[in-house]
Structures are given as structure tokens and as C-alpha cells.
Amino acid sequence: MNPLFSRSLLLAALLLAGCQEPAAPKLALSPWGASAKIKAEDLRFVPAALSGDADLRIAASERRGLLLLDAEGQELARLPGSFSGLDSRVGAGNLLVASLDNATQQAVLVSLDPTTRQWSRPLQLPVRDYAQAGLCLYRDEAANLYLFLIGEDGHGEQWLVGAGAQLNAEARRVRGLPLPPEAEYCQADDGAGLLFVNEESVGLWAYPAHPEADAARRPVDIVQPYGGLKRAAGAMASVPGGLLALDHAAGELHLYQQQGDAWKTVASLPLEGLEEPERLAVRSNGSGLDVLVQDDGAGRFYQGALNWQAQPQALPPVLANIAPLRQSEPVGRQGDAADDPAIWVNPAQPALSRVLGTNKKQGLLIYDLDGKLLQDLPVGRLNNVDLRANFALGDERVDLAVASNRDHNSISLFAIDRASGEVREAGEVRTPLKEIYGICLFQAPSGELYAFANGKDGSFLQYRLNASTGQIEGELVRRFQVPSQPEGCVADDQRQRLFLGEEDVGVWAVDARADGPTELHSVLRVGEVLKADVEGLGFYQSGERDYLVISSQGNDSYVVLDAEPPYALKGAFRVGLNGALGIDGSSETDGLEVTSANLGGPWSAGMLVVQDGRKRMPESTQNFKFVPWSEVAQALKLD
């Protein structure tokens, strides 16, 4: 045969093979011989990373306790007790196992060393005031380990139980989670940050698993006639990019592939010969999945191989998580209340500096550096706040704070005693804005002080503030406009530049001088790094390298840029939880502020303060989180 002709045939065969549809998923199950001997309530694979070449399993038994077994059901290690339900995660050479203690009605966590075949002393969660139906584990991007509890009548809770590869000494309740009344099973996809929960007669749901996320949900599949599940939604197993779920009433296994925010049904496989398939576990074997299914009707487990793997989805980049060191007392109003902070630096004793925070339903709040509330000025619905030092109020020298007052569409003024930090009302400047929103100050090299107030319609008004008569007056000196809703702004006094955020568009720079041009220059647009809404802006001025800090509300992160053109991106981070101090992370941040002033101790390189839109651990009204700037600089490798 002509060699050229042979190569052509081979090439054609390869192309034809590449165009063929993948083989239809098939599942071959056979009874696991040890079922009758073990009589387990739940059975899971031990990951290959811990089992080596051995085929090891863990089991939860009502009569025999938690068991480490080989593939033939031979008992290798036992933790006596009565248990039901299982989930696990890999630790540092050990397996972290969660189960329900039937005797005490408490969730327990325990570590298993497969090499020494030793169980650790269990960590018990407190007794709950509802019946617990199921549980599952979730590990976030910062390696914090959480346990979800699923209870009857819609009860759900998330607990912090571990850090890194170890279990904590005690568990902390992070938040409650409203779940369907018929929920019994859950599974988490750590990489995608998703929690899957069943609602037996309705369908399968996906929730954000991160504790700082909202409790929104999306359907994976619904019971007929609205979806593909014939009769019921049962136990699940999560794999990267996909989900497997039992319809126990119809005797079927459903396979789903994630596609963005939705899930596509890949196949519905009959589980022939099984009476009541209740529990499900899977393990990757390289070419597909090993599967374990419990048949509750027959009281035995089946095992087999499935020739299917989900396609992993592209995941967002993992950002550095920086723990807050302090948090303020929660604000005194429910709902979306706390908004924007400012940092007052005590010129004589920096450790006695203050944090000012706005409450959109109350007024101005003043905290010390430990977050203790010192003053509460109920002056109305204040949105944003900013301040500058050494302002001439008649014959008196004060530090001046300004805030946007949504009750009066005005600028509320406050005098800060430069020795004590005591804050008092100092007047008001009315504006023609229909819906005042953000505000910030700019001090010109000449010493003149200006306030920029913006409205929801995109209007910016620049006022010159003067108090030579002892009463603060505002003179409107300039107007300009952005196309859509702004809010956050901050001024670089030295370079006479104003940074402003247009919430759905990005960050702009404009000349801050009263007689300067109003041409906008793009700093950073909403896109891969900065996610709408663009909210608070802060300016870190060190004298050598200055940085702009932006609240990227759309992905609960903070973006750091060089404060000079070309505004190079330095990185992004999240404010995560501080489990040791019992401080939750921050999310849905509106306002923020940063200072480079040496405030002493952990604040020697400055402080970042961010508003927290969802207060967790314990759940309460919103508050502010205090973060050492040194931790930000270290995480992003800043100068």
C-alpha cells in the first residue's frame, strides 16, 4: 500500500474518532458483600490521597459506631457509638469526618489517621433545638472548614469547625440558613463555593456556600412536570463541574453538568433491582467514577463504576484573605444601615484616634480603635462621611467632618475637638441635589477646603467651605456630571486630583481644583478585577508610594492601585474571618477608609476600615471591620 495513502487513512480515522459523540453514561452495580455484616447507615470512600493503593471506606453504623473498613468490609478501626450520616475532607495526613451522634442528637467531628488507624477525640457541636436530618462539610478558599446542618421544617445552620487541615478546639455558629422544609441531604462543591440541598417533592437547589454570601438559590432540577426528576429529589454527590442525584422514588440516578449558573441534565440512569436507593457516594478513578449506593429497602450497599466525568468549570481567581483584627459594635438599626467610615487621627496621642461611621437610618457613630461605641449623634440619614484636620472655625481650630444628609439633601457639618476627639454638630449646607448620595473633602495647597457632594443622577457639586465668621458656609464653585449613578469619592490633596466611582462603570480621575477642567480620565473600568457596584474609595498616602483602595462590591473584594498614572493594578483581596477572635469577614461593602498614620501597635503602618454588609458569627446588624494595613501590604507585596 502506498505509504502516503496509509497516512491519509490514519489521519481520517483519527479525525472521525475526534468527531464522535462521547459514549453514553452507563452504570454497572453489584451488591457489596459486606453489607449484611456491617449494617451501615452511610458509607463513603476514603480519598486515594490518604489510602494509598488500598481501597478503604468509612462507615456510620447505629450499632457499631464510626468504622474504617477495607474493600471486603474488614474492620480496621472503630470509634464506638451510634452514628448516621457522613461527610469528610482531607486534612494533614488524616481524614476529617463529620457525622450525627444518634445518642446525643449532636453533630460530631473527628479526625481519622488511616495509617495508624486511630480516631481522635470527637468535637461535639452544641445540642440544637430542632431535629437534625443531615449534614455536609465545606472548605472555602482560605481553607476554613465549615459544617452545614440540615434540620426538619426548614432549619439550616453553618458552623465554623476547622482551619487549614485541623479541626478547631470549639465550633462557632456562623449563620442560620433558610432551607426547604423537606430538606434531608446536602453536598458542597468547595471550588465553586456551592451548597446543594434537596427538597424531596420539589427538586434540587444550589445555594452560595460562603458564609458572607446572600442566601439566594438557583434550581438544579425540578420534579416533573416542571423538570426532569420523575418523582423525588434525594441524596446527592458533588464533583467538580457536576452533580449526581438520586430520585429514590423512581429508582434513578441523575447526572448534571454545570453550565455557568445553570445545570444541564446529562443522563437519567435506572437503578434496576434496587428497592429504595437512599445514600450516594462517588470517587474519581481516572476514567470515570466509582459509585456506592445504599438500598434502604434491602438493607445493603451496591458498588460499581460509572463511565462519566463532569467537565470542571472555570473558577474565579483565588484572592488573598486578610483577617480583621477588630470590629465595631453593631449599629443600632436593622437592614441596610451602616455605610461609610472615616478615620480621625489624634494629633497628640494617635492610639486615642477614632473611627466615624455613618448609619443611614440613624446618624453619625464614633468608635474607638477597639470598636467600642463612644458617641451617637442622631442627626438623620447620613450616607458618606469624610474629614480634614485643622480647620479654622472662627477663632477656634477644629478638625472638620462632613457627611451627606439624605433627610435634607444637605451637607451635615461636625467639629472634632483636636485634643479629646469629642464630636459635635457644627451646622449644615443645603444643596439643590434631589437625592444627595456621596461626599468627600479636598484641601488645596492654599489651605482652602472644598466639599464634593454627588447625587444619584450623576451630578457633582463642589463647595468652598469657610467659617471665618464662626459659622460654616458653603459656596458653590463648580458643577460637573457623570452619565450614571456615582457614590464613593476621595481626593489626593497633594496632586489636586479627585477620584470618583461610577457604580456600574468604574473609577475616574478629574482635576479637583475649583477652576480646573472637568474632563474625566479613566482609572479602572468594571471588568475582570473590579466588579460592580463600585462603592467606597480610600487613599493611602505614605509619602513614597500612594495607593487607591476600591470596594469591589460585586465579588466582595477590595482592589488596590497605584494612585498615579498609569494606575497600575497592585492586586485584590478579601477581608476574611478571624476565627481565633470570633470576628467574621466582610461582604457587600459600601464605604471604606484607609490611613497611613501610625496609630500604634498593630496599626503602626496604618489602618483600613471597611463596612460589613452582612454581619455573621453571631448574626447581628451591620458593623465596621478594622484591618491592619501591614497585612494588606504583606499580602499584596506592596512597597
Side-chain angles (χ1 to χ4, degrees):
M1 182 182 291
N2 188 311
L4 181 60
F5 182 65
S6 298
R7 287 197 296 270
S8 298
L9 284 177
L10 178 60
L11 179 60
L14 291 173
L15 290 173
L16 181 60
C19 295
Q20 289 179 345
E21 291 291 328
K26 293 181 180 180
L27 175 62
L29 290 176
S30 60
W32 184 45
S35 293
K37 178 176 64 175
I38 301 301
K39 294 183 179 179
E41 294 298 307
D42 205 348
L43 185 69
R44 302 295 173 102
F45 293 108
V46 173
L50 297 177
S51 63
D53 295 331
D55 184 0
L56 302 181
R57 297 155 191 206
I58 53 172
S61 170
E62 286 188 348
R63 297 181 181 181
R64 301 176 61 187
L66 291 177
L67 308 173
L68 174 64
L69 308 170
D70 64 17
E72 285 71 43
Q74 181 67 36
E75 182 182 306
L76 305 177
R78 180 197 299 192
L79 181 69
S82 176
F83 296 94
S84 62
L86 279 175
D87 202 5
S88 66
R89 289 294 184 275
V90 174
N94 58 357
L95 191 65
L96 308 179
V97 180
S99 188
L100 291 173
D101 187 325
N102 298 318
T104 64
Q105 289 293 293
Q106 290 173 272
V108 297
L109 292 113
V110 63
S111 174
L112 168 66
D113 187 333
T115 303
T116 63
R117 301 177 180 179
Q118 295 292 317
W119 294 92
S120 71
R121 182 177 179 180
L123 166 66
Q124 290 188 320
L125 270 67
V127 176
R128 313 312 302 147
D129 59 357
Y130 59 88
Q132 298 163 62
L135 50 70
C136 57
L137 291 167
Y138 161 64
R139 181 175 273 149
D140 70 10
E141 65 182 8
N144 296 300
L145 186 66
Y146 302 91
L147 180 68
F148 286 100
L149 293 182
I150 308 299
E152 295 178 359
D153 301 324
H155 288 94
E157 292 182 313
Q158 185 172 9
W159 289 73
L160 176 66
V161 296
Q166 303 296 327
L167 295 175
N168 292 339
E170 64 176 352
R172 289 182 181 270
R173 186 183 186 276
V174 177
R175 62 167 174 162
L177 191 63
L179 295 178
E182 295 181 314
E184 185 178 357
Y185 303 99
C186 68
Q187 281 284 285
D189 182 333
D190 296 349
L194 293 173
L195 171 70
F196 300 102
V197 178
N198 79 310
E199 185 176 5
E200 184 174 359
S201 65
V202 177
L204 303 166
W205 300 99
Y207 294 78
H210 197 278
E212 291 294 335
D214 199 3
R217 65 179 186 175
R218 294 180 181 272
V220 176
D221 199 359
I222 302 296
V223 173
Q224 292 180 0
Y226 306 105
L229 291 166
K230 286 183 180 178
R231 295 179 60 186
M236 298 156 291
S238 173
V239 294
L243 184 72
L244 300 87
L246 292 175
D247 180 343
H248 51 279
E252 291 183 339
L253 175 65
H254 291 253
L255 312 180
Y256 302 96
Q257 170 67 53
Q258 185 179 355
Q259 294 183 333
D261 291 332
W263 282 263
K264 175 187 176 183
T265 298
V266 176
S268 301
L269 305 178
L271 300 174
E272 297 176 355
L274 275 67
E275 299 176 26
E276 297 178 39
E278 290 287 344
R279 301 278 185 175
L280 176 66
V282 301
R283 174 182 62 186
S284 176
N285 59 23
S287 60
L289 297 171
D290 295 324
V291 179
L292 290 171
V293 181
Q294 182 208 36
D295 184 359
D296 194 51
R300 66 194 314 176
F301 280 87
Y302 286 76
Q303 61 185 0
L306 173 65
N307 63 333
W308 175 77
Q309 286 186 324
Q311 295 298 316
Q313 299 292 285
L315 301 176
V318 175
L319 302 181
N321 274 250
I322 301 174
L325 194 59
R326 298 288 186 272
Q327 63 179 338
S328 73
E329 294 180 29
V331 301
R333 298 293 185 273
Q334 297 288 336
D336 186 18
D339 194 281
D340 188 49
I343 302 172
W344 174 74
V345 179
N346 187 312
Q349 296 178 282
L352 299 181
S353 298
R354 303 283 185 259
V355 173
L356 284 63
T358 61
N359 182 336
K360 291 177 287 194
K361 300 182 179 182
Q362 184 177 6
L364 189 65
L365 308 172
I366 296 88
Y367 306 93
D368 66 15
L369 296 188
D370 287 326
K372 180 182 179 182
L373 182 64
L374 303 176
Q375 283 185 265
D376 175 358
L377 303 179
V379 298
R381 296 184 302 142
L382 301 186
N383 205 71
N384 286 28
V385 62
D386 199 7
L387 60 83
R388 286 294 187 277
N390 203 18
F391 180 76
L393 180 55
D395 296 331
E396 182 185 10
R397 284 285 172 174
V398 299
D399 294 344
L400 184 70
V402 301
S404 49
N405 190 318
R406 294 168 71 173
D407 281 340
H408 306 143
N409 285 313
S410 63
I411 301 172
S412 289
L413 308 162
F414 303 90
I416 306 173
D417 186 285
R418 289 176 56 78
S420 68
E422 191 79 11
V423 181
R424 71 176 191 271
E425 294 182 61
E428 186 177 41
V429 174
R430 297 278 180 164
T431 79
L433 293 170
K434 294 181 179 179
E435 289 185 279
I436 195 170
Y437 211 38
I439 198 166
C440 56
L441 290 171
F442 159 61
Q443 190 159 30
S446 62
E448 291 183 319
L449 188 63
Y450 297 88
F452 289 92
N454 62 55
K456 287 191 174 184
D457 64 353
S459 299
F460 275 80
L461 305 182
Q462 184 174 358
Y463 288 88
R464 180 184 292 112
L465 302 180
N466 184 277
S468 57
T469 63
Q471 182 176 350
I472 303 176
E473 298 176 344
E475 177 191 359
L476 182 60
V477 296
R478 187 167 67 149
R479 295 173 179 258
F480 58 92
Q481 186 93 17
V482 295
S484 62
Q485 181 173 307
E487 183 179 3
C489 62
V490 67
D492 176 352
D493 295 347
Q494 180 179 341
R495 300 177 182 88
Q496 303 181 77
R497 181 183 296 133
L498 177 71
F499 297 101
L500 61 95
E502 190 177 357
E503 290 192 351
D504 293 333
V505 178
V507 178
W508 303 94
V510 64
D511 196 313
R513 294 174 296 178
D515 58 354
T518 59
E519 180 184 0
L520 298 174
H521 302 273
S522 179
V523 174
L524 181 66
R525 299 188 70 86
V526 167
E528 289 299 314
V529 176
L530 183 61
K531 305 294 184 181
D533 289 349
V534 178
E535 292 287 344
L537 302 178
F539 180 65
Y540 183 91
Q541 185 172 26
S542 66
E544 297 179 359
R545 293 292 294 272
D546 300 338
Y547 301 106
L548 182 67
V549 186
I550 310 165
S551 169
S552 175
Q553 194 180 73
N555 65 346
D556 299 326
S557 71
Y558 309 90
V559 179
V560 179
L561 310 175
D562 275 336
E564 293 187 75
Y567 307 115
L569 174 66
K570 309 306 292 185
F573 64 95
R574 291 192 172 96
V575 174
L577 62 80
N578 188 327
L581 296 181
I583 303 175
D584 66 310
S586 67
S587 56
E588 208 172 41
T589 291
D590 286 328
L592 60 79
E593 185 57 289
V594 63
T595 181
S596 61
N598 182 351
L599 306 182
W603 321 113
S604 59
M607 170 191 278
L608 170 69
V609 179
V610 301
Q611 181 259 5
D612 181 14
R614 301 186 186 100
K615 172 71 176 70
R616 315 291 200 202
M617 204 170 65
E619 294 161 293
S620 184
T621 55
Q622 297 175 339
N623 70 347
F624 299 92
K625 300 297 193 286
F626 302 175
V627 180
W629 181 259
S630 58
E631 297 295 323
V632 178
Q634 181 179 352
L636 301 188
K637 298 180 173 57
L638 303 178
D639 293 333

